[in-house]
């Protein structure tokens, strides 16, 4: 087994020995997303997910040969944490070969309510991007709430 730990003491990288894989109860090669989530959930504290308000949602899945690569985004009370992701590599039998995790491990006591209404956020973005060119056309998508945790990207 190979492992790398963060400064907070949580796993950043976990790899099974070559040709081997970690098993997950209830693993299914047919459901790589479920297996990846179950593996991380079974090791919540080691990956910095000890706070019960922290969760994971499937962000993207891809397949290459028999292997599956599942990327999960960390959430706090359902709100995505910008850039907080875990990538899980599974073999053809649903075994976990490796995990790369950059998760926040934040405290649930933070206030997740937006600082400004969505309509105001969109207008502020439009003004800032437009800058000194009022004729510039800007297409702003509906705002989506995300949490920014500097330690994730820093």
């Amino acid at each position: 087994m190979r492992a790398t730990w963060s400064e907070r003491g949580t796993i950043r990288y976990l790899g099974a020995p070559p040709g081997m894989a970690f098993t997950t109860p209830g693993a299914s090669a047919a459901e790589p997303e479920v297996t990846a989530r179950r593996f991380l959930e079974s090791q919540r504290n080691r990956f910095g997910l000890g706070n019960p308000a922290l969760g994971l949602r499937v962000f993207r899945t891809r397949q290459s040969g028999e292997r599956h690569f599942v990327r999960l985004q960390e959430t706090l009370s359902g709100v995505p944490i910008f850039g907080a992701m875990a990538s899980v590599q599974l073999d053809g039998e649903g075994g976990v070969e490796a995990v790369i995790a950059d998760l926040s491990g934040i405290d649930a006591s933070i206030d997740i309510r937006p600082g400004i209404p969505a309509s105001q956020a969109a207008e502020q973005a439009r003004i800032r991007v437009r800058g000194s060119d009022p004729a510039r056309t800007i297409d702003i998508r509906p705002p989506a709430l995300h949490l920014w945790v500097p330690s994730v990207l820093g």
Side-chain angles (χ1 to χ4, degrees):
M1 177 181 82
R2 299 158 299 195
T4 303
W5 303 85
S6 72
E7 293 175 1
R8 294 185 324 272
T10 59
I11 297 174
R12 297 256 309 140
Y13 172 79
L14 179 66
M20 301 183 79
F22 301 107
T23 58
T24 304
S28 167
E31 297 180 297
E33 297 91 350
V34 172
T35 300
R37 188 191 317 259
R38 280 187 183 157
F39 181 80
L40 292 171
E41 293 284 341
S42 74
Q43 305 294 321
R44 286 185 69 84
N45 289 336
R46 289 188 175 104
F47 284 101
L49 297 168
N51 178 337
L54 292 173
L56 296 165
R57 70 174 189 183
V58 175
F59 185 77
R60 181 179 305 140
T61 302
R62 71 177 184 88
Q63 184 175 356
S64 178
E66 291 186 7
R67 284 191 170 90
H68 285 89
F69 303 87
V70 180
R71 192 157 194 192
L72 300 114
Q73 181 169 38
E74 184 181 10
T75 63
L76 176 63
S77 299
V79 178
I81 300 170
F82 184 82
M85 301 274 186
S87 296
V88 181
Q89 177 181 317
L90 299 107
D91 65 16
E93 286 80 46
V96 174
E97 294 179 322
V99 178
I100 298 171
D102 190 5
L103 301 172
S104 73
I106 60 174
D107 186 330
S109 65
I110 67 169
D111 186 358
I112 62 170
R113 292 176 297 180
I116 59 175
S119 60
Q120 188 178 347
E123 187 55 29
Q124 284 184 11
R126 186 180 331 280
I127 290 167
R128 288 184 182 178
V129 172
R130 185 177 290 151
S132 62
D133 183 3
R136 185 173 180 190
T137 303
I138 308 290
D139 182 30
I140 304 284
R141 290 189 237 161
L145 181 62
H146 284 75
L147 295 175
W148 172 259
V149 179
S151 64
V152 172
L153 298 176

